[in-house]
Amino acid sequence: MTRHRPEVVAFDVDETLLDLAPVRATLVELGEPAPLLGAVFARTLLTGFAAAAVGSWCRFLDAFDASLAQETGLSADQRASVADAFGELSPHPDVEPALRRLTEAGVRVVTLSHGSPGVAEAGLERGGITPLVERSMTSETIRAWKPSREVYLWAAGLCDVAPERMALVAAHGWDVLGARRTGLTGAWFPRSERVFPAVYGEPDVAGAGLAGAVDALLALPPR
């Protein structure tokens, strides 16, 4: 399929745009090793994906709490303090220039998460880049998890564009896979993953970093 320059670019939030450092720091303050966050985050996704796969559903924060309980001996209050740190996230340094490049090129920018409502908005506000983002969407609104097709179709519908006129940028291969299978243009770059999973084929575009992924989207032929 020939991909064209998108009218709307949706960004994944956790890790892709926002740095999870405050969550990691809270774990360390509670005596847990810093690398544990990777295992907890992965188990959180597994929990949510499994629930969705069998026709059930759970909130991101509930899946995160369950994962912390499985991976640590933290009390309920301690786990709650770790979860609260999601409200302290800030954008990675490369986010503002990448989003600005899109908006200056006339491309609409949105966020698409399956995380808790308000997390993306708070992080964007903390980074001073709220004016660059048209809207923030979380699939919690429709009780679904990415990479379910319904999430990307719902997002495209809210943005009033056909899926093929929308792109998703994510540092997670599974997210890009879901977007591509729904008709969106999938853009991947390494942040939390070193390489794009070979079992998923290839992303539509990729970059050595966020800026490269954005440049690759802008370089696609116009309609």
Side-chain angles (χ1 to χ4, degrees), residues 133-222:
V133 179
E134 179 179 297
R135 70 164 70 210
S136 290
M137 300 171 284
T138 169
S139 63
E140 191 166 303
T141 303
I142 57 170
R143 297 170 66 90
W145 281 67
K146 297 184 292 179
S148 299
R149 283 174 53 85
E150 63 182 304
V151 175
Y152 308 101
L153 293 174
W154 168 74
L158 279 184
C159 294
D160 197 28
V161 292
E164 62 269 20
R165 294 178 179 270
M166 189 174 193
L168 175 90
V169 178
H172 305 117
W174 54 263
D175 203 357
V176 173
L177 173 69
R180 295 188 69 241
R181 289 295 180 90
T182 312
L184 281 68
T185 298
W188 177 87
F189 70 99
R191 180 147 12 237
S192 57
E193 302 168 344
R194 293 178 60 189
V195 297
F196 189 80
V199 293
Y200 295 163
E202 297 289 338
D204 295 306
V205 302
L210 178 57
V214 165
D215 286 345
L217 286 173
L218 292 175
L220 291 173

Side-chain angles (χ1 to χ4, degrees), residues 13 24 35 37 43 59 71 96 102 114 131 147 162 166 190 196 206:
V13 176
R24 183 179 297 106
L37 178 59
R43 186 177 288 278
R59 296 188 313 149
E71 294 282 350
E96 191 276 340
L102 286 169
H114 47 214
M166 189 174 193
F196 189 80

Side-chain angles (χ1 to χ4, degrees), residues 2-198:
T2 300
R3 297 296 191 178
H4 294 89
R5 182 170 173 166
E7 296 176 16
V8 180
V9 175
F11 287 86
D12 173 53
V13 176
D14 290 345
E15 294 188 314
T16 298
L17 293 185
L18 301 184
D19 189 349
L20 299 184
V23 183
R24 183 179 297 106
T26 304
L27 277 172
V28 172
E29 290 172 3
L30 293 172
E32 301 294 338
L36 179 67
L37 178 59
V40 171
F41 193 72
R43 186 177 288 278
T44 299
L45 296 177
L46 172 63
T47 301
F49 294 172
V54 299
S56 184
W57 179 78
C58 61
R59 296 188 313 149
F60 176 88
L61 282 182
D62 291 337
F64 183 75
D65 182 71
S67 300
L68 277 175
Q70 289 180 297
E71 294 282 350
T72 74
L74 297 177
S75 68
D77 286 345
Q78 289 174 319
R79 298 197 306 271
S81 70
V82 179
D84 287 345
F86 277 97
E88 302 172 9
L89 306 186
S90 296
H92 290 283
D94 56 358
V95 171
E96 191 276 340
L99 270 57
R100 188 170 299 281
R101 175 119 164 78
L102 286 169
T103 58
E104 290 178 349
V107 178
R108 297 159 58 194
V109 173
V110 300
T111 67
L112 178 60
S113 170
H114 47 214
S116 300
V119 169
E121 294 90 334
L124 296 173
E125 180 68 27
R126 189 170 290 104
I129 55 177
T130 299
L132 301 176
V133 179
E134 179 179 297
R135 70 164 70 210
S136 290
M137 300 171 284
T138 169
S139 63
E140 191 166 303
T141 303
I142 57 170
R143 297 170 66 90
W145 281 67
K146 297 184 292 179
S148 299
R149 283 174 53 85
E150 63 182 304
V151 175
Y152 308 101
L153 293 174
W154 168 74
L158 279 184
C159 294
D160 197 28
V161 292
E164 62 269 20
R165 294 178 179 270
M166 189 174 193
L168 175 90
V169 178
H172 305 117
W174 54 263
D175 203 357
V176 173
L177 173 69
R180 295 188 69 241
R181 289 295 180 90
T182 312
L184 281 68
T185 298
W188 177 87
F189 70 99
R191 180 147 12 237
S192 57
E193 302 168 344
R194 293 178 60 189
V195 297
F196 189 80

